[in-house]
Amino acid sequence: MAEKVKVSADIHEWDVEDEQFWESTGKKVATRNLWISIPSLLCGFAVWLYWSVITVQMLNLGFPFTNSELFTLSAIAGLTGASLRIPSSFFIRIAGGRNTIFFTTALLMIPAAGTGFALLSQDTPLWVFQLMAFLSGLGGGNFASSMSNISFFYPKRMQGLSLGLNAGLGNAGVTTMQLLIPAVMTAGIFGGGSMILEKPSGTLIGKIAAGTETFIHNAGFVWLVFLIPLAFLAWTRMNNIRTEHVSPNIGSPASSFAKIGGMLGLAFLPAAVGLFFILPEPTGLGWTWAKYPIIGLVIWATVLLLKQLRGEIKPNLERQFKIFGNKHTWVMSVIYTMTFGSFIGYSAAFALAIKVIFGFQHVMVDGVMTHDLVNENGPSALTYAWMGPFIGAFIRPVGGWIADKVGGAKVTQLVTITMIASALGVAYFMNQAYKSETPEDHFVPFLLLFLVLFAASGVGNGSTFRTIAIVFDREQAGPVLGWTSAVAAYGAFVVPQEFGEQIRNATPEIALYGFAIFYTICLFLNWWYYLGPKAEYKNP
């Protein structure tokens, strides 16, 4: 059987639950696909969330946009990326793993290059940055197809660790981006003119003084250095599993690319409409009060549009849509939103939140609290922002490994309690800082508690995926992994949007209080369905 599996070939026989097959053939093939999948996913996360760093530098350079508008760029990318995960959940069955990873990785070159060109001038209008943020959502969508693909390569007993490695090291794209972009902005690597900092900036090794030249456009162009060879590797070294329960009828590569492109287009449409209703004027209607129902409608409309597809795609989608009839799909969607939604949302908002809360003094002027005076003693957001995503990403495989040993639901329950406590602590110190002339006095406890929050969300990311792998059968597990990650990814929209809205109201701590309430609901759901006396699956 081993000789049937070749590099760059379609695999027609695949049974990794068979120990002999796994040791003779499966392990080598699975490992090769995993180690190409990880850096491809890493770049997807980087392109999706690089607005968390770019917006900070835009503020430091004096781009003519408000704090709220800059938070909006991360939110746009967040909502689009989440919406694109819905069709991406189903790509592997209709297009194959190799075809999907190659094409979706290649598509990332569009927003990466576009963002680089847009950042060459401060005269670039806001709508161009919003369009680039909209397209960078492609990187967020890639997570669903990547996780679904890797789930088919590994036996159930290794799902926690293998999915944890793919997701955790893929999530490290956030940290990689937050370290790499500040560094490459210090030199004219890709040509183009420099800009002069109006406010202090920073890198991993410390502050950069105002008046220093910077090359912000490198934040987009640098990803082409990685995306081009990764697309080549995906095409030449990955595999499509052509067995009945994975990708039996995918057709030619060209037809696979057309199917992927068409389904992404269908997801872009409701995302654009939803953003039009939510974004503030003059971009949209400014219905921020209705953002949660609108997100629900975006999800519903995306699924409805996919259901209208005809031809060979329709029966494949109908077969996978059976996951929606399983109540555990919805339960795990909520619980995973707590873990991954928090991780990705905080990753998108953390740097700008540090800048806005601690980078300015909050003083009373004529009886009015103002937040415009630069705090010379404030911490550099770009020096510290990478720490949370770093911890959350690299602890994720540990969460999966522990869950494999002691059970996923038990780990998730402990994680949830930790997240509730740390969210309340962060809220307290945010409140203290945002009404202080010396907000830096509250930075250390704020940072430490936020790092605990990131760590807990990372462990929970691993434990919840272990639960999904056990609760659902082989065919449904992949689509469920993709679907739950799609729903959870809306955290990348909700968290920056909530932070921006509450900072505009001068009450940033309210956002954390709301998240703590949501975590409490998840605590009950996890106990009721997976730990309590009426649990159908005991500590999966």
Side-chain angles (χ1 to χ4, degrees), residues 36-46 139 142-143 146-147 166-167 170:
I36 299 173
S37 174
I38 287 172
S40 300
L41 184 55
L42 183 150
C43 285
F45 270 97
N142 289 1
F143 182 83
S146 178
M147 294 299 287
N166 192 57

Side-chain angles (χ1 to χ4, degrees), residues 332-355:
M332 290 310 303
S333 294
V334 175
I335 293 174
Y336 190 59
T337 297
M338 173 190 67
T339 59
F340 181 77
S342 296
F343 169 82
I344 208 66
Y346 294 143
S347 295
F350 193 35
L352 197 53
I354 292 174
K355 180 68 180 181

